PDB file of all heavy atoms in Angstrom:
ATOM      1  N   GLU A 480     -28.859   1.402 -23.219  1.00 91.00           N
ATOM      2  CA  GLU A 480     -28.847   0.081 -22.656  1.00 91.00           C
ATOM      3  C   GLU A 480     -28.238  -0.906 -23.657  1.00 91.00           C
ATOM      4  O   GLU A 480     -27.383  -1.781 -23.224  1.00 91.00           O
ATOM      5  CB  GLU A 480     -30.320  -0.280 -22.361  1.00 91.00           C
ATOM      6  CG  GLU A 480     -30.516  -1.336 -21.311  1.00 91.00           C
ATOM      7  CD  GLU A 480     -31.971  -1.427 -20.897  1.00 91.00           C
ATOM      8  OE1 GLU A 480     -32.534  -0.314 -20.561  1.00 91.00           O
ATOM      9  OE2 GLU A 480     -32.539  -2.452 -20.989  1.00 91.00           O
ATOM     10  N   ASP A 481     -28.633  -0.848 -24.890  1.00 92.00           N
ATOM     11  CA  ASP A 481     -28.185  -1.787 -25.855  1.00 92.00           C
ATOM     12  C   ASP A 481     -26.684  -1.656 -26.131  1.00 92.00           C
ATOM     13  O   ASP A 481     -25.941  -2.610 -26.272  1.00 92.00           O
ATOM     14  CB  ASP A 481     -28.946  -1.512 -27.166  1.00 92.00           C
ATOM     15  CG  ASP A 481     -29.098  -2.817 -28.013  1.00 92.00           C
ATOM     16  OD1 ASP A 481     -28.200  -3.590 -27.975  1.00 92.00           O
ATOM     17  OD2 ASP A 481     -30.151  -2.972 -28.656  1.00 92.00           O
ATOM     18  N   PHE A 482     -26.216  -0.425 -26.093  1.00 93.00           N
ATOM     19  CA  PHE A 482     -24.782  -0.174 -26.292  1.00 93.00           C
ATOM     20  C   PHE A 482     -23.941  -0.724 -25.179  1.00 93.00           C
ATOM     21  O   PHE A 482     -22.787  -1.104 -25.431  1.00 93.00           O
ATOM     22  CB  PHE A 482     -24.583   1.376 -26.453  1.00 93.00           C
ATOM     23  CG  PHE A 482     -25.032   1.956 -27.769  1.00 93.00           C
ATOM     24  CD1 PHE A 482     -25.148   3.280 -27.925  1.00 93.00           C
ATOM     25  CD2 PHE A 482     -25.334   1.080 -28.836  1.00 93.00           C
ATOM     26  CE1 PHE A 482     -25.501   3.854 -29.150  1.00 93.00           C
ATOM     27  CE2 PHE A 482     -25.741   1.662 -29.986  1.00 93.00           C
ATOM     28  CZ  PHE A 482     -25.868   3.025 -30.146  1.00 93.00           C
ATOM     29  N   GLU A 483     -24.437  -0.604 -24.006  1.00 87.00           N
ATOM     30  CA  GLU A 483     -23.739  -1.106 -22.840  1.00 87.00           C
ATOM     31  C   GLU A 483     -23.046  -2.413 -23.095  1.00 87.00           C
ATOM     32  O   GLU A 483     -21.883  -2.573 -22.815  1.00 87.00           O
ATOM     33  CB  GLU A 483     -24.766  -1.240 -21.659  1.00 87.00           C
ATOM     34  CG  GLU A 483     -24.104  -1.548 -20.338  1.00 87.00           C
ATOM     35  CD  GLU A 483     -23.891  -0.312 -19.498  1.00 87.00           C
ATOM     36  OE1 GLU A 483     -24.685   0.641 -19.638  1.00 87.00           O
ATOM     37  OE2 GLU A 483     -22.919  -0.234 -18.759  1.00 87.00           O
ATOM     38  N   GLY A 484     -23.880  -3.370 -23.554  1.00 85.00           N
ATOM     39  CA  GLY A 484     -23.296  -4.720 -23.785  1.00 85.00           C
ATOM     40  C   GLY A 484     -22.264  -4.779 -24.881  1.00 85.00           C
ATOM     41  O   GLY A 484     -21.489  -5.734 -24.977  1.00 85.00           O
ATOM     42  N   ARG A 485     -22.236  -3.766 -25.717  1.00 89.00           N
ATOM     43  CA  ARG A 485     -21.291  -3.775 -26.840  1.00 89.00           C
ATOM     44  C   ARG A 485     -20.075  -2.866 -26.565  1.00 89.00           C
ATOM     45  O   ARG A 485     -19.229  -2.594 -27.416  1.00 89.00           O
ATOM     46  CB  ARG A 485     -21.911  -3.329 -28.140  1.00 89.00           C
ATOM     47  CG  ARG A 485     -23.046  -4.226 -28.521  1.00 89.00           C
ATOM     48  CD  ARG A 485     -23.839  -3.665 -29.698  1.00 89.00           C
ATOM     49  NE  ARG A 485     -24.961  -4.506 -30.007  1.00 89.00           N
ATOM     50  CZ  ARG A 485     -24.997  -5.322 -31.095  1.00 89.00           C
ATOM     51  NH1 ARG A 485     -23.988  -5.405 -31.914  1.00 89.00           N
ATOM     52  NH2 ARG A 485     -26.049  -6.039 -31.352  1.00 89.00           N
ATOM     53  N   GLY A 486     -20.003  -2.301 -25.335  1.00 88.00           N
ATOM     54  CA  GLY A 486     -18.934  -1.444 -24.954  1.00 88.00           C
ATOM     55  C   GLY A 486     -18.961  -0.095 -25.687  1.00 88.00           C
ATOM     56  O   GLY A 486     -17.975   0.592 -25.794  1.00 88.00           O
ATOM     57  N   LEU A 487     -20.130   0.244 -26.213  1.00 93.00           N
ATOM     58  CA  LEU A 487     -20.207   1.525 -26.844  1.00 93.00           C
ATOM     59  C   LEU A 487     -20.744   2.631 -25.925  1.00 93.00           C
ATOM     60  O   LEU A 487     -21.487   2.350 -25.017  1.00 93.00           O
ATOM     61  CB  LEU A 487     -21.166   1.432 -28.082  1.00 93.00           C
ATOM     62  CG  LEU A 487     -20.690   0.535 -29.193  1.00 93.00           C
ATOM     63  CD1 LEU A 487     -21.789   0.365 -30.281  1.00 93.00           C
ATOM     64  CD2 LEU A 487     -19.444   1.096 -29.895  1.00 93.00           C
ATOM     65  N   ARG A 488     -20.290   3.859 -26.182  1.00 94.00           N
ATOM     66  CA  ARG A 488     -20.742   4.981 -25.337  1.00 94.00           C
ATOM     67  C   ARG A 488     -21.468   6.007 -26.250  1.00 94.00           C
ATOM     68  O   ARG A 488     -21.220   6.043 -27.474  1.00 94.00           O
ATOM     69  CB  ARG A 488     -19.596   5.633 -24.682  1.00 94.00           C
ATOM     70  CG  ARG A 488     -18.844   4.695 -23.689  1.00 94.00           C
ATOM     71  CD  ARG A 488     -19.861   4.389 -22.660  1.00 94.00           C
ATOM     72  NE  ARG A 488     -19.434   3.200 -21.869  1.00 94.00           N
ATOM     73  CZ  ARG A 488     -20.323   2.409 -21.198  1.00 94.00           C
ATOM     74  NH1 ARG A 488     -21.628   2.598 -21.326  1.00 94.00           N
ATOM     75  NH2 ARG A 488     -19.830   1.425 -20.477  1.00 94.00           N
ATOM     76  N   ILE A 489     -22.196   6.853 -25.585  1.00 95.00           N
ATOM     77  CA  ILE A 489     -22.944   7.845 -26.356  1.00 95.00           C
ATOM     78  C   ILE A 489     -22.338   9.248 -26.147  1.00 95.00           C
ATOM     79  O   ILE A 489     -22.196   9.727 -25.039  1.00 95.00           O
ATOM     80  CB  ILE A 489     -24.463   7.894 -25.946  1.00 95.00           C
ATOM     81  CG1 ILE A 489     -25.101   6.582 -26.382  1.00 95.00           C
ATOM     82  CG2 ILE A 489     -25.175   9.089 -26.458  1.00 95.00           C
ATOM     83  CD1 ILE A 489     -26.560   6.428 -25.913  1.00 95.00           C
ATOM     84  N   LEU A 490     -22.063   9.938 -27.279  1.00 95.00           N
ATOM     85  CA  LEU A 490     -21.682  11.316 -27.229  1.00 95.00           C
ATOM     86  C   LEU A 490     -22.882  12.106 -27.731  1.00 95.00           C
ATOM     87  O   LEU A 490     -23.263  11.942 -28.828  1.00 95.00           O
ATOM     88  CB  LEU A 490     -20.466  11.605 -28.089  1.00 95.00           C
ATOM     89  CG  LEU A 490     -19.705  12.887 -27.932  1.00 95.00           C
ATOM     90  CD1 LEU A 490     -19.172  13.034 -26.516  1.00 95.00           C
ATOM     91  CD2 LEU A 490     -18.603  13.052 -28.934  1.00 95.00           C
ATOM     92  N   LEU A 491     -23.440  12.898 -26.798  1.00 94.00           N
ATOM     93  CA  LEU A 491     -24.758  13.462 -27.060  1.00 94.00           C
ATOM     94  C   LEU A 491     -24.659  14.923 -27.588  1.00 94.00           C
ATOM     95  O   LEU A 491     -24.025  15.744 -27.048  1.00 94.00           O
ATOM     96  CB  LEU A 491     -25.626  13.440 -25.791  1.00 94.00           C
ATOM     97  CG  LEU A 491     -27.043  13.883 -25.961  1.00 94.00           C
ATOM     98  CD1 LEU A 491     -27.796  12.797 -26.683  1.00 94.00           C
ATOM     99  CD2 LEU A 491     -27.669  14.080 -24.591  1.00 94.00           C
TER     100      LEU A 491
END
Side-chain angles (χ1 to χ4, degrees):
Chain A
E480 203 169 307
D481 210 322
F482 286 168
E483 186 95 31
R485 299 171 183 256
L487 293 173
R488 295 300 163 206
I489 292 177
L490 194 63
L491 188 69

